[in-house]
Amino acid sequence: MFSKILIANRGEIACRVIRTAQKLGISTVAVYSDADAHALHVSMADEAVNIGPAPVTDSYLRADHIIKAALDTGAEAIHPGYGFLSENPGFVDAVVKAGFVFIGPSADSIRAMGLKDAAKRLMEKAGVPVVPGYHGEAQELVVLASKAREIGYPVLIKARAGGGGKGMRKVDSPDDFAEALGSARREAKSAFGDDRVLVEKYIAKPRHIEVQVFGDNHGNAVHLYERDCSLQRRHQKVIEEAPAPGITAEMREAMTGAAVKAAQAIKYSGAGTIEFIVDATEGLRPDRFWFMEMNTRLQVEHPVTEMITGLDLVEWQLRVAAGEKLPLAQENIPLNGHSIEVRLYAEDPAKSFLPATGTLYHLAFPNAVKDGAVRVETGVRSGDEISPFYDPMIAKLVVHGADRAAALRAMQNALSETEVAGTVTNTAFLAALVRHPGFAAGDVDTGLIDRDLAGLIAPVAIEAGAKELAILFASGLFKRPVSTDPWTALRGYSHHAALAYPVMLEENGAITRYEVSVLGDERYGISSPAGTEELRVRHGPATWHVTGKGINLHAKAMTIPHGVAVLAKGAAAAFSVADPFLLAEAAGGGGDRLAAPMPGLVKSVRFAAGDQVKKGQVLLVLEAMKMEHSITAPHDGRIAEIASEGTQVKEKSSLVRFEDAGNDSSKI
């Protein structure tokens, strides 16, 4: 076994690898960019080496910097995690050439499965079923469009390199093919450096079921059962579970058998995943699944497999890379209960899942983590920042139950006890998915989220009393537990007349003035233009208890920059404490503009200054956090200025300025 390894990654997967290494007595070396100097994985490792500036192209994708760090620290092996260089055969070659062990498959295996078209031809030869489609070398528009017509619409354009839904577009009509192809190619080129694509038949009711496989260097290969990853948006997984709902013994035998056959075809060593697309229009049938691709690395969702088998897949990776045989034969690998994983992201579902940034002023996970009922995989802590440079994942919540119903209940509880303040998250969206009748019944497919999106992202009503608690907190009358200071309950109290403490909240762009008065005996009054209400506030061991007319709230409250956050039942509500002078200044400098919602790169520009545009037209495409975001016209108008293609913009930078409506002759 190794004595020291380097982890060529960051975030939660780096932390995950470090934990297993520590369990096995292996020293760890972390690498980090300038933006990650104080990251959790850096503090957990025995050593840490800076490998460059924040952009991944200058740090986590610099193979030479990573190998130098391994040489300088005396590491024996390099674990790639997932993403970044984990499936780059050139990196594997460089690692081996430098005298290190790569904790993963060989470069030849990665090359064999790295390009989807070549991989599918290989699988066909191995007797593994593949999706009908065009996997050839020709990339001309006329050829691809012709093949799409032969296959029959709808079709799916897919980048032949990489994964994660990048460079993938569904096309319903020949009229849309050219534009979809251009968009897929740009995204693929940006993400993988390869803009070549393949075209496949789009399955009407597809389920995404994958099989975890493991091989060693002694010719052994096994499977560790299947995972269902059908709940997706933008072709990216949102919820994963194991085993797959509704799977029969016959279906499992056929699918896992095909997966092991695929691994054996390339003499695979290490952890890998064979991904299948399944036609679920008539349930799960052993003749209705097809090979999509192989991920030659550890998957983000590997914890659900660990939960149902009781095995540590990172430990298996380390043992296999060290030359050992697989720890268990196929017949000895257990399958117990049901596990579900959700991905908690800093993103805004109501704004097309726009990635978010911000400081995690408060981050708390379920109490059940302490007794093992819930597993949390994270790479951040309270006080850490979600930056624009990397994937905005906050954590993965993983639960296990005796059966699927028990796992669903456990996940509902886990989400209700997860607290995040400082950035918008998808917590409410995940909770809505877990409660979804179709998902609860196991009737899932990759289109479920899109079909029911409006209901899944519907605004969650703020708990009654949350705003009142925020106003009280903003008044400054109590910001520490009453139990630690008996005089807190009397702070602001006047025997003769209640003193009024003003609080200005910004609500829907306007300022509302409230006045808070202390009435004594834990009672407070809040006055506003709408009237006055009386509340009683008590502080328990962890939460404030607010009661009043129609209010019975148990919640946490905390100050955040420019406001107050109130957290209750897994939901966070942020209230802005307004500064009227700043608002007035902002209003005075405003104009008819579109600003960048986050830092990014202007990838393409569709119009020029002087062009007349209609509401809803795509004006430009902004690439941020590895995804393309279309910026559309909010109304009809004529463009006065528009950002140039290739421009790197900051958050709130002006992207488009419209001519003043009063000077627009087209509206006369």
Side-chain angles (χ1 to χ4, degrees), residues 149-308:
R149 285 193 296 271
E150 291 177 15
I151 295 166
Y153 285 90
V155 298
L156 201 61
I157 299 173
K158 298 173 67 174
R160 75 171 201 160
K166 296 179 178 66
M168 185 183 296
R169 298 291 186 275
K170 179 192 173 190
V171 190
D172 295 306
S173 164
D175 295 337
D176 301 327
F177 189 85
E179 184 170 355
L181 177 63
S183 178
R185 280 176 164 164
R186 286 194 303 273
E187 195 167 86
K189 183 70 173 179
S190 175
F192 317 119
D194 186 344
D195 67 355
R196 288 171 290 180
V197 301
L198 50 87
V199 183
E200 292 181 344
K201 178 66 179 173
Y202 183 80
I203 308 300
K205 189 178 181 181
R207 281 180 63 174
H208 180 141
I209 301 178
E210 59 190 32
V211 177
Q212 177 73 60
V213 294
F214 239 102
D216 62 23
N217 295 310
H218 303 275
N220 302 305
V222 298
H223 70 81
L224 285 80
Y225 307 105
E226 79 285 344
R227 298 184 290 255
D228 194 304
C229 307
S230 298
L231 280 189
Q232 303 178 8
R233 52 100 185 154
R234 292 179 181 169
H235 304 291
Q236 291 186 312
K237 300 165 187 175
V238 176
I239 296 182
E240 303 98 353
E241 59 182 314
I247 195 166
T248 63
E250 183 184 17
M251 178 72 166
R252 175 175 289 141
E253 182 179 0
M255 186 174 286
T256 56
V260 172
K261 188 185 297 184
Q264 291 171 331
I266 58 171
K267 299 178 181 179
Y268 194 78
S269 177
T273 299
I274 309 296
E275 299 193 352
F276 295 103
I277 189 77
V278 180
D279 183 353
T281 53
E282 298 179 25
L284 297 182
R285 291 174 42 176
D287 62 342
R288 294 291 182 89
F289 71 90
W290 301 277
F291 171 86
M292 282 199 304
E293 61 184 353
M294 182 178 189
N295 291 123
T296 51
R297 53 170 169 78
L298 198 66
Q299 290 280 86
V300 177
E301 58 272 19
H302 77 274
V304 295
T305 296
E306 293 183 325
M307 296 292 260
I308 64 168

Side-chain angles (χ1 to χ4, degrees), residues 579-590:
D579 184 332
F581 297 103
L582 290 179
L583 285 176
E585 180 182 341

Side-chain angles (χ1 to χ4, degrees), residues 76 99 212 273 283 292 301 303 338 389 426 445 476 496 598:
E76 301 164 84
Q212 177 73 60
T273 299
M292 282 199 304
E301 58 272 19
H338 200 95
F389 298 106
N426 65 340
D445 63 79
H496 297 289
M598 62 191 311

Side-chain angles (χ1 to χ4, degrees), residues 41 79 362 456:
H41 75 281
H79 194 300
H362 175 77
L456 293 169

Side-chain angles (χ1 to χ4, degrees), residues 620-631:
L620 55 82
V621 177
L622 182 70
E623 183 187 65
M625 290 188 173
K626 306 178 186 178
M627 297 291 287
E628 288 190 354
H629 306 277
S630 295
I631 306 300

Side-chain angles (χ1 to χ4, degrees), residues 432-482:
L433 267 176
V434 173
R435 295 191 304 266
H436 188 281
F439 179 63
D443 182 17
V444 297
D445 63 79
T446 58
L448 184 149
I449 290 177
D450 285 340
R451 286 195 304 273
D452 296 343
L453 185 61
L456 293 169
I457 65 173
V460 177
I462 298 174
E463 289 284 314
K467 186 170 98 170
E468 288 79 0
L469 179 56
I471 293 169
L472 292 170
F473 223 72
S475 71
L477 289 171
F478 53 94
K479 292 185 180 178
R480 49 183 168 162
V482 175

